[in-house]
Amino acid sequence: MHGQSKKSDQTPPPAQSDAVQRLRIDKWLWAARFYKTRSLAAQALDNHRIQVNGETAKAAREIKPGDTVTLRQGPTVRTIAVRALSAQRGSAPIAQQLYQETPESLAAQASAREWRRLAGADPAQAIEQGRPTKRQRRQLDTARNSWGARWSASIDQDKR
């Protein structure tokens, strides 16, 4: 019995306690809801769109709280400080507690959003009139058919 109590008093090996403090970046990006699947996160890492502490990261790169992650998603570049680690994907409010976006990144996103709004890059705002009304459709139909029987570029078979 003395040997059994000795086993329970032992502390876990350092590798297990270190695993709690570090996590693969592709798992963390998935858990923090930056990417819908872990394979999409790994693909972004393979395409060199993600940097950790200023260095291009690979999918197996381990991160820890305090690291700075820079991700490029389309035209948007986000700079994020890692606050906590989680290998399990949770709800959005829980995922937002895993990171904190830098004030510079938030300001850059706000200015880009304002620029897109002023530039009219929104496709919904590009449409001036939308669908034609019934009256406008009738006017278009009469304009198309106004030449009707008066003129034709084809050779009629009946007139030969």
Side-chain angles (χ1 to χ4, degrees), residues 42-143:
Q43 186 179 7
L45 286 157
D46 289 340
N47 292 335
H48 306 289
R49 292 189 180 129
I50 299 170
Q51 294 180 342
V52 178
N53 297 329
E55 297 177 1
T56 303
K58 294 184 180 177
R61 167 78 186 253
E62 291 185 339
I63 60 169
K64 60 188 182 313
D67 284 347
T68 303
V69 177
T70 305
L71 15 120
R72 193 172 32 125
Q73 294 176 316
T76 308
V77 177
R78 300 174 77 177
T79 306
I80 292 151
V82 178
R83 291 175 53 192
L85 301 177
S86 175
Q88 193 173 16
R89 188 175 171 107
S91 63
I94 293 171
Q96 289 174 350
Q97 294 175 359
L98 298 177
Y99 63 91
Q100 181 176 6
E101 198 156 355
T102 62
E104 296 84 16
S105 178
L106 290 172
Q109 281 186 26
S111 67
R113 193 177 310 118
E114 182 67 18
W115 184 82
R116 283 192 306 268
R117 185 184 69 81
L118 293 174
D122 187 14
Q125 292 178 352
I127 300 171
E128 294 177 1
Q129 297 179 352
R131 281 178 61 179
T133 62
K134 190 171 187 176
R135 182 178 183 184
Q136 290 169 338
R137 278 198 317 268
R138 286 180 180 158
Q139 289 172 346
L140 287 170
D141 287 342
T142 55

Side-chain angles (χ1 to χ4, degrees), residues 20-56:
V20 175
Q21 298 299 324
R22 293 180 171 268
L23 185 68
R24 286 176 57 115
I25 189 167
D26 59 342
K27 283 186 183 181
W28 185 82
L29 289 168
W30 168 75
R33 294 183 164 263
F34 287 106
Y35 294 96
K36 195 169 186 175
T37 63
R38 197 169 144 201
S39 62
L40 287 175
Q43 186 179 7
L45 286 157
D46 289 340
N47 292 335
H48 306 289
R49 292 189 180 129
I50 299 170
Q51 294 180 342
V52 178
N53 297 329
E55 297 177 1
T56 303

